Amino acid sequence: ETIMKKLTIFSQFFKGYGPVYLLGVLILITINILFLYVPRLIGEAINTLYYGKEGLTTYIGYFFMLAIVITVLKFSSRHLLLGSIRRFEFLLRRRLFDHALYIPTAYYEKNGPGKVMALMTNDVTSLRVSLGLGVMILVDAIFFGIFSFFLMAKEISVSLTALTLLPMPFILTGMLTVSRSMRKRQKEAQNTYSDLTEFAQELFLGMPVIRAFNREMRSLWRFNNINKVNYDKNMRVAFLDSILAPLTFVAPFMCHAIAIFICGRLIIANEITVGDFVAVNGYLSLIIGPIMGIGSLLSVLQKGLASLDRIYDFLMIEEEKPTDEERELPLTTLTVKDLTFTYPETKVPMLHDVNLTIKPGEFIGIVGGPGSGKSTLFKLLLRLHDTPQGSIYVGDEDITSMPLQVLRRSIAYVPPEPYLLGTTIGENIAFGEASDHTLELSQAAERAALTRDLSERLAPAAKRLKEGGTDLSGGQKQRVNIARGLYKNAPYLLLDDSFSALDTISAGTIINTLRQGRNQSLLFISQRLEALREADRIIVFKEGTIVEEGTHEALMAKEGEYYRLYAQQLDEPLIGVAEEGGDQ
């Protein structure tokens, strides 16, 4: 049953391109039928030559005709077969990418992007080779093995033919035994390739930091360790592969030796002609040739099956199902009731017994030390993790019972780490919709203080950013990130420590404009407590629960956790005080 489920991966391809693929296989079989005539024609030609008969030129003409027909058919077969397989590669990569967009983000937090990249490159290629080259070798092996056996049996006898091919079952058994071990080791090798890809990606993204801290040798040492594991795993596969190769070459020598002995005795006894002897050896070559390729076939198929397992496991990850519902949640009371949450890979709750009520249009500041659960609350509001049922409500509606698109359409989220695409700033803010919403985009850029120093790069025809926005400063990237959240103009705005790289002037400007435009509820996590002085309420987290709540003045008067955190920042400049200088 599991095998049948795995084969559904090919269903989309065979629905559209199955006939083309099967036509390629049929033409391949036609070519093999024509090849079956070759040993017989060679044998008859040799008999003609041996007995001094005329008509040798006729056989030369036959060979020319066969060569032309087989060449045309071979081109057609490979074009149809391998061309359609390239289409399969295209469809499978598209399916993997589409699936990757809808699986829970927790997968990437656990695995990183390297594993998906390995699936879309190495594993898809292995599967494509199995379905293309592997099937071609398999068809040749099965076809020539069956028909050449019958034709050989006709030339000599069934018993002598079986004796000639006696070594083959033992060699094939050895091949299958080795190939079973190879599949397991191949899967392990492909898993380490994923780890290597992920680490290399992480390394190159962090190259400026590595160079600044003189950690080139340390990074090289870490890479060498992962690369060595990848090397060792692949060497185990290569070891089994190197056993398969000799097994495939032992077969022809043994079979030909037996054939020469048997047919030689039959020629001496005048039971077969020299031409028959040549024909028998020709059929034997047709059998042995593809079987010699079975070693390569098993290697290709085991790689393909290992890749199929990995791709199937990835595609079995349950998607966050999209819907066509276009509604947006109303601006209403947001309630958190007895929220307790533990990450799957940990045992200690990150949040426990959190209770919070946010009125429509309220500006809520959220503070707390590292690991106190602030960002986890945002992730649960967005359902980036499995939010416990009956814990978060928008109005009277449990967020776990509403479509994800409706929830996320209603929330604008600004993450702590800026995420920029290699396109214009305008398209980054609007995620490709800038040409249709220029007025709203300009307003969002103005509120995010982007026009102060990036007005020229906000034009529709402005040059594209470098990959990851590396040609912008940290503060500029963060302001583009904030502008994206403001541009969305959703009823709920979540800012997750989005001022960490901003200079004082930019931060003050954005704080003053946050409440402009649409009336919305604003939740703002910030380590810079000065940014939250104007908040209607400030929520203080400690060790996963709310320990204090109130306005800035009320919390300062309490001289509790908030007072302690604020006191640590007293030496920092206050927002709103004009200072020279740009973003950090």
Side-chain angles (χ1 to χ4, degrees):
E1 186 180 348
T2 303
I3 293 172
M4 293 305 296
K5 285 182 179 178
K6 289 179 182 178
L7 292 178
T8 58
I9 291 172
F10 305 102
S11 59
Q12 186 183 5
F13 163 70
F14 279 111
K15 274 182 185 175
Y17 295 87
V20 176
Y21 180 80
L22 292 175
L23 180 59
V25 173
L26 287 173
I27 295 174
L28 181 63
I29 292 172
T30 305
I31 294 167
N32 292 346
I33 292 171
L34 293 175
F35 266 117
L36 288 175
Y37 286 98
V38 173
R40 183 70 266 165
L41 286 174
I42 292 174
E44 290 176 0
I46 287 175
N47 280 337
T48 300
L49 186 66
Y50 184 77
Y51 293 112
K53 296 178 182 178
E54 296 180 358
L56 194 61
T57 52
T58 304
Y59 290 103
I60 295 172
Y62 288 155
F63 285 122
F64 269 114
M65 288 173 61
L66 271 176
I68 292 168
V69 172
I70 287 173
T71 299
V72 173
L73 291 177
K74 198 78 172 176
F75 168 80
S76 302
S77 174
R78 292 182 72 87
H79 181 70
L80 293 171
L81 198 62
L82 301 183
S84 60
I85 291 304
R86 287 290 183 180
R87 184 67 183 179
F88 165 74
E89 186 179 33
F90 165 78
L91 291 171
L92 184 55
R93 282 206 176 103
R94 187 173 68 182
R95 183 176 174 186
L96 286 170
F97 187 82
D98 181 63
H99 185 67
L101 290 174
Y102 290 102
I103 60 174
T105 55
Y107 173 86
Y108 299 103
E109 292 182 10
K110 182 179 178 181
N111 298 287
K115 284 183 170 51
V116 180
M117 294 300 296
L119 285 173
M120 294 183 67
T121 53
N122 195 41
D123 289 299
V124 170
T125 299
S126 293
L127 210 51
R128 186 252 300 166
V129 171
S130 296
L131 207 56
L133 180 63
V135 166
M136 290 172 68
I137 297 173
L138 185 64
V139 168
D140 286 348
I142 293 173
F143 186 88
F144 286 131
I146 293 172
F147 285 94
S148 294
F149 177 85
F150 283 114
L151 290 170
M152 278 180 66
K154 181 183 174 184
E155 295 294 332
I156 41 177
S157 72
V158 174
S159 58
L160 292 178
T161 300
L163 189 62
T164 303
L165 296 171
L166 186 62
M168 295 307 300
F170 300 101
I171 292 169
L172 284 173
T173 302
M175 287 180 180
L176 291 171
T177 303
V178 173
S179 71
R180 274 196 293 268
S181 299
M182 182 180 280
R183 181 177 179 181
K184 181 181 176 183
R185 294 190 179 182
Q186 185 64 45
K187 192 171 182 178
E188 291 174 358
Q190 284 168 282
N191 285 333
T192 59
Y193 176 78
S194 297
D195 296 337
L196 185 68
T197 304
E198 186 175 340
F199 179 77
Q201 184 180 30
E202 181 182 278
L203 196 72
F204 294 135
L205 286 172
M207 193 60 71
V209 179
I210 291 168
R211 300 296 290 274
F213 280 84
N214 294 324
R215 286 295 182 266
E216 293 91 342
M217 294 307 297
R218 177 70 179 174
S219 299
L220 179 61
W221 177 80
R222 290 179 63 204
F223 180 81
N224 281 342
N225 285 341
I226 296 176
N227 200 24
K228 180 67 166 57
V229 173
N230 184 58
Y231 167 78
D232 290 339
K233 298 278 188 184
N234 279 283
M235 283 303 292
R236 291 176 189 174
V237 176
F239 173 74
L240 293 176
D241 209 6
S242 63
I243 294 175
L244 275 175
L247 282 174
T248 60
F249 283 96
V250 165
F253 290 117
M254 295 179 67
C255 293
H256 277 298
I258 295 170
I260 290 170
F261 175 77
I262 292 172
C263 292
R265 291 178 65 87
L266 292 174
I267 289 172
I268 292 169
N270 287 322
E271 293 185 23
I272 63 171
T273 64
V274 174
D276 294 332
F277 170 71
V278 172
V280 165
N281 276 276
Y283 290 131
L284 190 59
S285 296
L286 286 180
I287 296 174
I288 291 171
I291 290 177
M292 284 176 64
I294 282 180
S296 301
L297 170 66
L298 291 174
S299 177
V300 165
L301 286 181
Q302 292 305 332
K303 288 179 183 177
L305 288 171
S307 293
L308 180 62
D309 289 342
R310 283 163 45 82
I311 289 171
Y312 175 77
D313 290 342
F314 178 72
L315 290 175
M316 285 302 101
I317 298 171
E318 191 174 352
E319 291 185 0
E320 297 176 340
K321 294 295 182 185
T323 63
D324 297 328
E325 199 168 345
E326 295 291 334
R327 72 183 172 103
E328 181 181 86
L329 296 176
L331 182 60
T332 182
T333 303
L334 197 155
T335 310
V336 180
K337 293 181 180 178
D338 302 321
L339 172 61
T340 297
F341 175 77
T342 305
Y343 284 106
E345 61 275 10
T346 63
K347 294 181 180 179
V348 179
M350 179 56 71
L351 294 172
H352 56 89
D353 296 327
V354 173
N355 287 278
L356 179 63
T357 301
I358 300 163
K359 297 174 184 176
E362 242 188 326
F363 178 1
I364 302 294
I366 301 175
V367 301
S372 59
K374 308 181 301 296
S375 295
T376 301
L377 176 63
F378 277 13
K379 290 177 181 178
L380 296 177
L381 282 168
L382 287 158
R383 284 177 57 190
L384 296 178
H385 288 279
D386 291 330
T387 306
Q389 287 186 351
S391 58
I392 302 178
Y393 294 85
V394 177
D396 296 326
E397 192 173 2
D398 187 340
I399 67 167
T400 61
S401 64
M402 63 179 63
L404 271 172
Q405 276 80 0
V406 172
L407 176 68
R408 292 175 183 167
R409 187 182 296 116
S410 308
I411 299 175
Y413 172 58
V414 181
E417 294 296 327
Y419 167 67
L420 298 183
L421 304 166
T423 182
T424 65
I425 290 178
E427 289 184 345
N428 262 289
I429 294 171
F431 266 120
E433 299 175 358
S435 58
D436 299 325
H437 303 87
T438 51
L439 178 60
E440 291 89 342
L441 189 142
S442 299
Q443 291 173 345
E446 182 75 35
R447 291 171 65 195
L450 283 174
T451 51
R452 175 182 149 209
D453 54 348
L454 291 172
S455 55
E456 291 182 2
R457 300 197 67 174
L458 285 164
K463 70 174 184 177
R464 299 162 64 92
L465 298 177
K466 292 181 181 178
E467 184 180 356
T470 53
D471 47 342
L472 299 181
S473 71
Q476 288 172 329
K477 286 192 282 187
Q478 210 161 49
R479 281 185 280 141
V480 174
N481 226 26
I482 293 167
R484 184 185 289 152
L486 296 173
Y487 171 78
K488 188 175 179 181
N489 204 23
Y492 304 92
L493 174 62
L494 311 183
L495 294 158
D496 189 353
D497 199 19
S498 306
F499 282 19
S500 58
L502 296 190
D503 65 279
T504 306
I505 297 173
S506 297
T509 302
I510 296 170
I511 284 290
N512 292 332
T513 62
L514 276 178
R515 285 186 155 179
Q516 292 177 8
R518 177 175 182 168
N519 184 29
Q520 59 186 176
S521 295
L522 170 62
L523 282 71
F524 187 3
I525 294 172
S526 181
Q527 299 295 338
R528 298 174 66 168
L529 304 190
E530 275 295 322
L532 306 178
R533 290 191 63 152
E534 302 302 319
D536 297 321
R537 274 186 299 150
I538 298 172
I539 311 298
V540 184
F541 275 81
K542 185 177 182 181
E543 296 178 357
T545 193
I546 296 173
V547 294
E548 290 180 348
E549 183 177 340
T551 63
H552 170 76
E553 291 76 13
L555 291 173
M556 288 298 288
K558 277 187 179 181
E559 297 189 5
E561 179 68 13
Y562 180 80
Y563 180 87
R564 186 184 67 80
L565 292 170
Y566 195 83
Q568 293 173 355
Q569 299 184 14
L570 281 180
D571 293 332
E572 291 193 1
L574 301 183
I575 290 179
V577 178
E579 284 191 5
E580 297 298 325
D583 295 330
Q584 303 302 308

